[in-house]
Amino acid sequence: RPELGGGGLVKRMTTVDASNEVIIVVNPYSTGCHIVTEIQGRTFKVIALYTKLFANSDMTTHIPAACGKIEYHAIVTEKGSLADTVKQVHAAAGKLRVIGCV
């Protein structure tokens, strides 16, 4: 597209070692579980972040049969503020580098 300056898409390698990186998936339910499976298939670890209302429901235990068994690096629940939630996510990540949130 000319309005984009003609540069086109450029693939950039950003991952040094996926085994040392983690991706946060918010409310991984149904389709979200399939996304988790795809992320883990690329050797990334996953932190499940549940929002307050979602965490207090039976939906946190639903995993589609097609996904098989899913193991999260950690499971965290939304806190009272964004800052507190971010602190909790980084604490759960430990030494892993957080590289994305879906």
Side-chain angles (χ1 to χ4, degrees):
R1 295 178 30 194
E3 68 272 21
L4 298 177
L9 296 176
V10 177
K11 183 176 181 180
R12 300 179 198 273
M13 300 305 287
T14 57
T15 299
V16 176
D17 182 2
S19 66
N20 292 320
E21 298 171 328
V22 65
I23 297 174
I24 295 108
V25 178
V26 180
N27 293 338
Y29 174 76
S30 193
T31 301
C33 291
H34 288 279
I35 293 169
V36 169
T37 302
E38 289 295 321
I39 292 169
Q40 290 178 333
R42 290 166 171 77
T43 70
F44 293 99
K45 292 174 178 54
V46 174
I47 293 175
L49 170 60
Y50 290 110
T51 55
K52 290 177 193 174
L53 293 175
F54 201 92
N56 296 324
S57 71
D58 294 337
M59 293 187 287
T60 60
T61 59
H62 172 74
I63 298 174
C67 293
K69 185 176 181 182
I70 293 178
E71 291 187 27
Y72 297 109
H73 175 73
I75 298 173
V76 296
T77 303
E78 174 189 18
K79 295 296 178 192
S81 70
L82 178 60
D84 289 340
T85 303
V86 169
K87 285 179 189 175
Q88 182 183 23
V89 166
H90 282 286
K95 294 182 179 183
L96 299 175
R97 187 175 86 145
V98 177
I99 62 164
C101 181
V102 182

